[in-house]
Amino acid sequence: MMPEREQFAAETAGFRRELLAHCYRMVGSAQDAEDLVQETYLRAWRSYAGFEGRASVRAWLYRIATNVCLTALRRRQVRVLPSGLSGAYEGPDRAPSLVASADVSWFEPLPDEWVIPAGDDPAEVVVARESLRLALIASLQHLPARQRAILLLREVLAFSAAETAAILGTTTAAVKSGLQRARARLDELDPKPAELLEPADRRARALLDGYIAAFEQSDAKLLEQVLRTDATLEATPFRDWSAGRTMCIRMLGNYVLGAPGDWRMFATTANGQPAAVVYHRDVDGVLRAYGAVVLEATSGGVSRVVAFHHSALVTTTFGFPDVLTD
């Protein structure tokens, strides 16, 4: 007979990636999600002897993971993007505020490679990416935690109402009611989800390449070719954000682009969208990790740019070095 620890690993290891995606959808942070998955497996191991197969291993793990997330969310601020705090910066009567807001718990991106392994079925990959889109996950953070859990369990993970009720320790009637309220609130927050291109689509890659070239060459005209007229631009940890291509380019041209060679970017994917890891040249001429940027690419151009100015994202989340050599 297989030793208990080996049996536990054999039965549960295959669910780690999907549990990580679930925890990320719940809390909006890759690093927090990884910690919560670790806690899930620790609790699962401690209770494994009493599991006895009364439910599927998958449902049992999701019950533990969901309740670990709900407990964590009771003592944490909701993670947000700048557009979730206030209206767009309109200028020009004042300069945009570029002072970091340390009192806000900021939303964070998730690299695709953490949760979408190479070689997966292409149709399943598309579904997985759609459920991790930046706009969707950011909107989910504005739902009450239990409604968020109900929506994810029912509509993303396809658990039945009865299974969801068992996972959350509630009734099927409460699940159905919570799902209705969650759907209604999500429609208010994101009533018309954009038709986004897949990251591998040549049009999406061309838009990402154009955005990278605009920064590396400090060329605002290239941005005009990439951004849609209704594009938005936001960057954590700053509250001010821009709406409309003219305002976006003005913001970047006046305060961000700098000189050719100040920026280096490397293409990747995050949240099922084209993305880039970002480096910036410091006063000593060294290219240092700066953060990441995620684009919403559509057939008409980039409709949204979300930049995350956190250098630790480059090293701890995307696995790139802290410093580049030319």
Side-chain angles (χ1 to χ4, degrees), residues 222-296:
L222 279 177
L223 286 174
E224 292 184 18
Q225 301 171 26
V226 171
L227 300 179
R228 286 190 348 189
T229 56
D230 61 348
T232 61
L233 167 70
E234 52 193 310
T236 66
F238 311 116
R239 289 175 178 265
D240 279 343
W241 59 285
S242 301
R245 181 169 60 198
T246 299
M247 288 298 293
C248 293
I249 293 175
R250 183 181 300 165
M251 169 79 79
L252 293 173
N254 290 344
Y255 302 102
V256 180
L257 285 182
D262 281 353
W263 299 93
R264 284 289 304 279
M265 297 186 183
F266 296 89
T268 184
T269 58
N271 293 87
Q273 298 167 218
V277 167
V278 181
Y279 287 81
H280 186 255
R281 196 175 301 278
D282 66 14
V283 293
D284 297 319
V286 178
L287 284 165
R288 296 192 181 277
Y290 192 78
V293 62
V294 181
L295 309 183
E296 287 189 355

Side-chain angles (χ1 to χ4, degrees), residues 177-190:
S177 175
L179 181 58
Q180 285 184 327
R181 291 195 297 271
R183 284 172 174 164
R185 178 61 175 143
L186 208 58
D187 285 342
E188 292 174 4
L189 293 165
D190 192 17

Side-chain angles (χ1 to χ4, degrees), residues 29-47:
S29 162
Q31 295 299 324
D32 284 358
E34 193 170 44
D35 291 342
L36 293 168
V37 170
Q38 290 292 99
E39 178 66 18
T40 295
Y41 273 87
L42 179 60
R43 293 191 186 187
W45 167 243
R46 287 173 177 168
S47 61

Side-chain angles (χ1 to χ4, degrees), residues 38 62 124 130 184 264 283 310:
Q38 290 292 99
Y62 271 102
E124 292 181 2
E130 287 178 351
R264 284 289 304 279
V283 293
H310 304 283

Side-chain angles (χ1 to χ4, degrees), residues 146-216:
R146 285 182 70 83
Q147 285 185 24
R148 194 182 318 166
I150 289 170
L151 183 77
L152 292 172
L153 291 168
R154 292 285 287 117
E155 300 209 332
V156 175
L157 298 166
F159 283 107
S160 69
E163 289 171 323
T164 301
I167 288 171
L168 294 173
T170 188
T171 65
T172 55
V175 167
K176 291 176 181 178
S177 175
L179 181 58
Q180 285 184 327
R181 291 195 297 271
R183 284 172 174 164
R185 178 61 175 143
L186 208 58
D187 285 342
E188 292 174 4
L189 293 165
D190 192 17
K192 295 180 180 179
E195 292 293 328
L196 302 185
L197 301 173
E198 284 293 300
D201 189 301
R202 60 178 179 78
R203 294 169 295 175
R205 184 54 195 261
L207 290 170
L208 177 62
D209 289 346
Y211 187 85
I212 291 174
F215 267 77
E216 294 187 343

